Amino acid sequence: MPAGPNSDTWRWRANARHYRTHVLGDVTYVYCHLSGETHMLNLVSMAMLDLLVQRPYSLAELADAFPACLDVPVAECPPAVVARLFGELDDVGLVERVSGA
């Protein structure tokens, strides 16, 4: 279930115990135990999910950290792209809010 509007104080994570993955080429199939649904993620989306498993991030922190995770300049992965990718993971229920007012 998506969180809807985001607050700057909210922190997010992915809980690897809530899903199982199967890699096939450049696609990772992610089965979510909570929803019973399987999602197809590309390498970039999977990199974000992997980053969110490591520790909770606010959306601003994620926008700062994600380009470095991909080893690309911010110009190639601007905050709006990070927010869109995060929103897609949120929409399918692969991330959860862990703190923030």
Side-chain angles (χ1 to χ4, degrees):
M1 169 189 258
N6 201 337
S7 169
D8 293 338
T9 62
W10 293 357
R11 299 180 66 75
W12 302 88
R13 72 170 181 170
N15 187 334
R17 293 179 302 204
H18 291 172
Y19 61 87
R20 182 177 47 216
T21 61
H22 179 76
V23 178
L24 189 60
D26 290 343
V27 175
T28 301
Y29 293 88
V30 180
Y31 173 77
C32 181
H33 300 294
L34 301 176
S35 68
E37 295 178 344
T38 300
H39 309 283
M40 294 177 12
L41 274 60
N42 63 21
L43 295 172
V44 175
S45 296
M46 196 62 214
M48 181 175 285
L49 193 63
D50 288 341
L51 184 61
L52 286 162
V53 165
Q54 295 175 19
R55 72 171 182 88
Y57 285 87
S58 69
L59 195 52
E61 291 170 332
L62 189 60
D64 289 341
F66 192 58
C69 172
L70 296 177
D71 198 26
V72 299
V74 173
E76 289 185 31
C77 189
V81 170
V82 173
R84 183 184 56 78
L85 287 170
F86 170 82
E88 291 172 1
L89 294 176
D90 181 34
D91 285 345
V92 298
L94 293 175
V95 296
E96 60 188 11
R97 191 174 106 194
V98 292
S99 66

